Amino acid sequence: MARVVVLTPNPAVDVTYEVAEQRIGETVRVSGVTRRPGGKGLNVVAVLRRLGVPAVALQPLGGATGRWIEESLREAGIDAVVVPAPGDTRTTVAVVDGRTHPTLYAEPGDALPETTWRELADAVARLCEPGGFLIVSGSFPPGTAPERLAAVIGAGRNAGARVIADTSGDALLAAADAGADIVKPNEAEAMEATATGTLDAAAAALLDRGAGTVVVSRGADGLGALEADGSRHRQPAVPGVRGNPTGAGDAATAGLVAALHSGLPLAEGLRWASVVGAAAVLAPVAGSINVADLPPLADRLPAGDRPALPLPIPTR
């Protein structure tokens, strides 16, 4: 099977604080702390690995935090390719209490020099292969010029990989302009980036800019997709799922790509995205799923909206 290359342009050390209750302006005692390599792309790689998909994590890393991320990835058995970056890799903090939506504190990260971007594009060209995928996932360092993303996407496409961009803001527009095969914003990101007032208008604007397909995650309202030929797809979310939604969108991206990587059509990919995203909500931290949760979660969907069983993806 051709590999999936996942570029995380702005990785982080993800710290999760567990508290009894989130309270502003007060001293809050932390009952549990989890530290793990983070950034949306690294979440995607971790879930792809659980789904049995061959995936390579590509990221710029620098300083002591960068070395910790690299060592942690190696210890977890993740195939990681690191491009050296100046400065220290950033940290993000999530505060969770099981009552309300987690509160996230995300450092911006340091700008990457032109040499680092060239090395990332060269690594994409070297790692990608025909029949594989390049996933560009997450935020970008401050000051990233659109042509940097265009060069990365071009390198992946020239190597024969299909490119999926899960990002927001100017980077989302740049990915569409560069001809990404699929762009995958959430509903708010799609409308904000395109300055449109409806989801249909936002998807149409991204297609007009050059995206092949627009897949939009809508939280409890599921997912939708609009293809360049006008084909539309709607997929409901798995009902009755409660837990930590941090990283659910990344898991949905992994589910979508795992299905497409197995040769399944887009509609089936959306079904997998729904179920794998729901499994991530049940997990304690982002980038984690229990594959045993997938069949019972699929059974909660209406019959016509469930991924095909038996599972086309290994459950280990």
Side-chain angles (χ1 to χ4, degrees):
M1 299 176 73
R3 72 173 67 92
V4 177
V5 179
V6 185
L7 170 61
T8 305
N10 203 16
V13 175
D14 273 359
V15 181
T16 300
Y17 290 154
E18 297 178 22
V19 300
E21 183 181 358
Q22 299 184 56
R23 297 192 299 272
I24 302 299
E26 298 183 33
T27 298
V28 179
R29 298 194 180 279
V30 176
S31 60
V33 181
T34 303
R35 290 180 175 85
R36 55 179 298 279
K40 289 175 66 66
L42 292 179
N43 292 339
V44 173
V45 168
V47 176
L48 283 172
R49 185 168 176 265
R50 293 293 296 144
L51 295 173
V53 177
V56 177
L58 170 64
Q59 51 279 314
L61 294 174
T65 49
R67 288 191 295 274
W68 184 88
I69 290 174
E70 182 176 6
E71 291 169 2
S72 298
L73 293 174
R74 307 284 188 204
E75 290 173 1
I78 292 175
D79 189 1
V81 175
V82 172
V83 171
D88 285 321
T89 298
R90 69 191 180 120
T91 297
T92 67
V93 176
V95 182
V96 300
D97 62 7
R99 302 183 182 189
T100 58
H101 194 284
T103 299
L104 304 179
Y105 299 91
E107 296 178 5
D110 294 329
L112 297 180
E114 181 179 350
T115 53
T116 302
W117 280 113
R118 282 203 302 266
E119 289 184 46
L120 287 170
D122 290 344
V124 166
R126 182 176 71 254
L127 294 169
C128 287
E129 55 190 355
F133 286 81
L134 168 65
I135 304 173
V136 182
S137 184
S139 66
F140 281 73
T144 300
E147 54 264 29
R148 306 300 183 208
L149 179 53
V152 166
I153 289 176
R157 297 193 72 191
N158 289 340
R162 295 171 66 182
V163 179
I164 296 179
D166 181 2
T167 186
S168 60
D170 290 341
L172 174 61
L173 300 180
D177 291 341
D181 295 276
I182 298 175
V183 294
K184 187 191 166 289
N186 63 35
E187 188 170 11
E189 290 167 345
M191 291 191 290
E192 181 179 355
T194 57
T196 54
T198 67
L199 186 54
D200 284 346
L206 292 168
L207 291 176
D208 287 343
R209 296 184 78 111
T213 297
V214 179
V215 174
V216 179
S217 55
R218 306 180 65 202
D221 292 325
L223 300 101
L226 178 63
E227 299 185 73
D229 64 3
S231 299
R232 294 177 180 271
H233 307 270
R234 294 191 182 278
Q235 170 64 33
V238 177
V241 179
R242 296 179 60 84
N244 179 12
T246 306
D250 306 328
T253 298
L256 170 68
V257 173
L260 297 178
H261 189 261
S262 297
L264 299 171
L266 178 61
E268 187 71 1
L270 296 177
R271 296 179 189 121
W272 274 104
S274 177
V275 172
V276 177
V281 175
L282 298 179
V285 295
S288 176
I289 64 166
N290 182 350
V291 293
D293 290 333
L294 300 179
L297 287 170
D299 286 343
R300 296 190 193 182
L301 288 166
D305 295 316
R306 298 172 190 164
L309 298 175
L311 302 179
I313 298 167
T315 56
R316 57 177 174 80

